[in-house]
């Protein structure tokens, strides 16, 4: 049972444009959401997070939006840069805590 | 910066061998985790530990065990390696008591079982 789902395995955008990565979840007990970025042959690195009491969190070029009623979150990258090309994982944690549940990942390619 | 270090970047082992993957973190974190990453499946939790000598099963514990004798070290053991355990293994740690929240990952170990 996949509780966190990233339906797009890949996304390709032009440099300077907006990248929008999407994530859906099914577990109503999730109260904390994160995005991680992963380059090949490296471990994931934390990018941005959002608590369920918020609907938006911004950090520089990265903004995460949370729509609790739709059980959907998205990551916006503006403007996209070639160095953003990586696999992006969405993750969530339940109120009871202690573990992160990850989505399948989306490969973002930003073309110069 | 938090540092999570995995002992090997690449490993090749034979079917049936006992395999040890070591992970050390330097931030006195309470929680440590082992995940495996496979294409199209994302990161799946194998085991985690929220204290020394404590361990909890994740989503896919079969064929694995863990050891946490010291707070900074969390070992993953493949009792008898099989080809379906060929994967990228990722160790992580987090410092929030009882919550994973912002976990920090090691660089990963690419294990190939032949």
């Amino acid at each position: 049972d996949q509780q966190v789902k990233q339906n797009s395995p890949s996304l390709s955008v032009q440099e300077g444009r907006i990248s929008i990565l999407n994530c859906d979840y099914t577990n109503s007990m999730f109260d904390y959401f994160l995005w991680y970025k992963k380059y090949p042959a490296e471990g994931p690195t934390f990018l941005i997070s959002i608590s369920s009491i918020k609907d938006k969190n911004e950090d520089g070029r990265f903004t995460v939006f949370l729509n609790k009623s739709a059980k959907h979150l998205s990551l916006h990258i503006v403007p996209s840069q070639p160095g953003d090309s990586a696999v992006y994982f969405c993750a969530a944690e339940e109120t009871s805590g202690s573990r992160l549940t990850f989505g399948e990942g989306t490969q973002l390619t930003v073309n110069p | 910066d938090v540092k999570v270090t995995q002992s090997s970047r690449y490993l090749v082992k034979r079917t049936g061998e006992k395999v040890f993957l070591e992970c050390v973190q330097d931030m006195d974190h309470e929680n440590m985790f082992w995940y495996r990453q496979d294409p199209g499946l994302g990161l799946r939790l194998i085991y985690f530990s929220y204290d020394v000598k404590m361990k909890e099963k994740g989503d896919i514990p079969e064929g694995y065990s863990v050891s946490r004798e010291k707070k900074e070290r969390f070992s993953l053991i493949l009792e008898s390696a099989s080809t379906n355990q060929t994967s990228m293994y990722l160790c992580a740690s987090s410092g929030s008591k009882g919550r994973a929240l912002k976990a920090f990952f090691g660089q990963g170990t690419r294990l190939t079982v032949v």
Side-chain angles (χ1 to χ4, degrees):
Chain A
D1 176 28
Q2 190 73 21
Q3 297 186 64
V4 177
K5 198 128 183 69
Q6 295 176 254
N7 288 311
S8 299
S10 63
L11 175 68
S12 183
V13 300
Q14 285 301 119
E15 181 176 5
R17 305 295 290 268
I18 184 171
S19 296
I20 300 176
L21 295 98
N22 294 302
C23 179
D24 296 296
Y25 63 94
T26 57
N27 188 340
S28 301
M29 299 305 292
F30 287 146
D31 71 339
Y32 194 76
F33 303 88
L34 308 89
W35 285 94
Y36 280 84
K37 174 170 142 178
K38 185 180 185 299
Y39 293 116
E42 292 184 15
T45 54
F46 169 78
L47 193 56
I48 193 168
S49 62
I50 188 167
S51 163
S52 60
I53 62 173
K54 295 186 172 183
D55 54 20
K56 177 182 173 181
N57 188 27
E58 197 170 347
D59 183 2
R61 296 186 297 115
F62 303 91
T63 303
V64 56
F65 295 91
L66 176 62
N67 181 334
K68 286 189 291 294
S69 61
K71 293 191 175 68
H72 177 82
L73 66 156
S74 60
L75 174 69
H76 293 210
I77 306 174
V78 184
S80 302
Q81 299 173 353
D84 296 329
S85 298
V87 177
Y88 289 78
F89 290 100
C90 169
E93 184 172 12
E94 286 185 31
T95 309
S96 57
S98 77
R99 51 181 292 171
L100 291 174
T101 300
F102 285 82
E104 304 93 327
T106 297
Q107 171 71 57
L108 173 66
T109 302
V110 180
N111 301 301
Chain B
D1 271 358
V2 174
K3 194 139 176 146
V4 180
T5 304
Q6 294 182 229
S7 52
S8 305
R9 293 295 297 266
Y10 301 95
L11 273 179
V12 180
K13 295 292 181 181
R14 294 196 179 276
T15 301
E17 274 193 79
K18 192 168 185 176
V19 181
F20 293 86
L21 302 183
E22 307 287 346
C23 175
V24 178
Q25 50 96 0
D26 65 357
M27 283 301 290
D28 201 35
H29 279 172
E30 309 282 344
N31 312 308
M32 296 189 75
F33 309 86
W34 277 105
Y35 288 87
R36 63 178 278 179
Q37 183 201 351
D38 300 288
L41 296 177
L43 278 68
R44 293 180 293 165
L45 182 63
I46 304 170
Y47 267 97
F48 64 102
S49 167
Y50 51 85
D51 202 352
V52 176
K53 296 197 186 290
M54 303 300 289
K55 60 185 179 185
E56 295 281 346
K57 291 181 180 179
D59 298 318
I60 50 165
E62 296 78 19
Y64 304 94
S65 62
V66 290
S67 171
R68 193 162 181 207
E69 295 295 320
K70 293 185 178 181
K71 191 174 186 180
E72 68 270 18
R73 187 179 296 269
F74 193 36
S75 303
L76 179 70
I77 303 150
L78 286 65
E79 297 293 342
S80 175
S82 63
T83 54
N84 64 11
Q85 293 179 309
T86 292
S87 187
M88 168 71 89
Y89 288 87
L90 294 159
C91 174
S93 73
S94 71
S96 306
K97 191 136 184 95
R99 297 294 305 256
L101 296 179
K102 183 179 161 185
F104 295 87
F105 282 84
Q107 77 278 25
T109 297
R110 171 69 66 185
L111 172 67
T112 302
V113 182
V114 297

